[in-house]
């Protein structure tokens, strides 16, 4: 399989072909003019020291050399090779709460939108780290496997919303167990879980799992999205397309940020708690914390990639240019002119 780093360089063949056509046309005109010079013997004498075959060969060599040069300029990559890549960093699993309470608008434009905005900023600051995404509400599922492709991670993050998981509720413990199952058991890696939620935990097993994380050298940082005063949970009425608010016994439910449980989870694992509210750059303390971590060298990854082969074409073109340059166009032997008219002595 062949790949080209700069395929647009093939457009150089357009002016090159035009030049070849121009050369052939000029050669044709010269040939016509030469045929008008005189008889065959005169033309043979005039060109007696010119090696026509070598001149034609030089033209062919020159054009072939230019062709190989253009091919080399396209950066051909042929076949694959194994490459070893060493990197230093940490593995981060982001657990994002997608329950309906994340639609609350006490944080503008909403808790979910604000969380995604801050997480995008976090991913933009990562270097060498791997990141994975887990969505949770009443259940949890792996939304994006651990990856170094930050573009893909941001794409999957932007797709997350409160409609992603049909089973509503907030079960933090299921998200934590799912993260434990996917975190590699490797002592040479720093393992970090980033729990992003408004703090509602309807099952209450998160603190026990935080102790388990500490025993397995997993650090959990928590981001609390919301405000202490809280806000109602908007619900869009599909029939009237009108925004309403979630109610219980006829009263509007106010969802408030439960900082305490998020703080306790973080403290039990040596992590930090950061509140994400309406202030700018809310996630900066977490970015600074991650940057200060001593990043360990993670096991080398061996993968295949295209191998550059432009050197072959460039070397061939160089040889052709050299051979074209040293190829002689003159014949050493000189033909003596014998005239048809001989001057007689009186």
């Amino acid at each position: 399989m062949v790949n080209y780093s700069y395929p647009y360089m093939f457009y150089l063949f357009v002016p090159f072909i035009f030049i070849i056509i121009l050369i052939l046309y000029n050669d044709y005109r010269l040939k016509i003019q030469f045929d008008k010079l005189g008889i065959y013997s005169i033309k043979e004498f005039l060109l007696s020291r010119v090696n026509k075959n070598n001149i034609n060969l030089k033209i062919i060599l020159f054009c072939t050399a230019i062709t190989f040069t253009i091919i080399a300029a396209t950066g051909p990559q042929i076949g694959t090779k194994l490459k070893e890549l060493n990197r230093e960093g940490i593995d981060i699993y982001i657990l994002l709460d997608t329950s309906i309470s994340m639609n609350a608008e006490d944080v503008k434009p909403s808790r979910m939108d604000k969380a995604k905005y801050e997480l995008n900023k976090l991913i933009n600051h990562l270097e060498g780290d791997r990141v994975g995404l887990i969505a949770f509400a009443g259940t949890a599922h792996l939304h994006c496997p651990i990856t170094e492709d930050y573009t893909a991670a941001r794409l999957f993050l932007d797709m997350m919303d409160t409609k992603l998981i049909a089973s509503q509720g907030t079960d933090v413990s299921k998200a934590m167990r799912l993260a434990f199952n996917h975190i590699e058991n490797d002592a040479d890696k720093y393992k970090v879980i980033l729990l992003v939620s408004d703090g509602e935990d309807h099952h209450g097993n998160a603190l026990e799992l935080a102790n388990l994380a500490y025993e397995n050298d997993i650090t959990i940082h928590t981001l609390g999205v919301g405000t202490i005063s809280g806000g109602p949970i908007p619900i869009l009425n599909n029939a009237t397309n009108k925004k309403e608010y979630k109610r219980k016994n006829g009263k509007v439910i106010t969802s408030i940020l439960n900082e305490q449980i998020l703080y306790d989870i973080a403290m039990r694992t040596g992590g930090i708690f950061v509140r994400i509210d309406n202030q700018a750059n809310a996630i900066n303390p977490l970015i600074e914390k991650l940057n200060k971590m001593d990043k360990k060298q993670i096991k080398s990854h061996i993968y295949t990639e295209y191998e550059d082969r432009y050197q072959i074409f460039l070397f061939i073109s160089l040889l052709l240019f050299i051979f074209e340059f040293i190829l002689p166009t003159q014949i050493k032997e000189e033909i003596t002119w014998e005239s048809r008219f001989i001057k007689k002595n009186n």
Side-chain angles (χ1 to χ4, degrees), residues 61-170:
L61 290 174
F62 182 81
C63 293
T64 306
I66 292 294
T67 300
F68 276 96
T69 301
I70 295 176
I71 295 175
T74 63
Q77 297 173 323
I78 303 174
T80 59
K81 68 174 181 179
L82 293 178
K83 184 175 181 179
E84 191 173 273
L85 175 65
N86 295 319
R87 68 178 182 89
E88 292 184 349
I90 55 180
D91 284 351
I92 306 172
Y93 267 102
I94 298 175
L95 281 52
L96 180 57
D97 186 352
T98 60
S99 62
I100 195 171
S101 62
M102 291 292 285
N103 283 334
E105 298 173 344
D106 53 339
V107 176
K108 302 301 180 182
S110 70
R111 292 178 182 177
M112 176 60 71
D113 291 334
K114 178 67 172 179
K116 289 162 61 174
Y117 173 76
E118 296 293 341
L119 290 174
N120 264 302
K121 289 176 60 178
L122 172 65
I123 294 175
N124 289 338
H125 281 82
L126 297 180
E127 292 183 4
D129 307 307
R130 298 194 302 177
V131 62
L133 297 172
I134 291 178
F136 72 94
T139 59
H141 81 267
L142 182 65
H143 188 61
C144 175
I146 198 81
T147 180
E148 296 174 61
D149 188 345
Y150 300 142
T151 301
R154 286 191 293 267
L155 179 62
F156 278 100
L157 176 62
D158 291 339
M159 294 167 58
M160 300 177 78
D161 56 33
T162 56
K163 298 178 182 178
L164 190 62
I165 297 180
S167 176
Q168 280 300 312
T170 306

Side-chain angles (χ1 to χ4, degrees), residues 16 23 50-66 319-330:
F16 179 55
I23 291 174
V50 176
N51 192 326
K52 299 179 183 178
N53 293 331
N54 282 7
I55 290 177
N56 293 332
L57 182 58
K58 284 174 72 74
I59 294 174
I60 294 173
L61 290 174
F62 182 81
C63 293
T64 306
I66 292 294
L319 290 180
L320 292 173
F321 276 125
I322 293 174
F323 188 50
E324 185 272 339
F325 179 75
I326 64 176
L327 187 66
T329 58
Q330 289 186 347

Side-chain angles (χ1 to χ4, degrees), residues 5-24:
S5 301
Y6 312 101
Y8 54 84
M9 296 299 289
F10 277 113
Y11 288 116
L12 291 175
F13 278 113
V14 175
F16 179 55
I17 293 174
F18 177 76
I19 292 173
I20 291 177
I21 294 174
L22 188 61
I23 291 174
L24 293 175

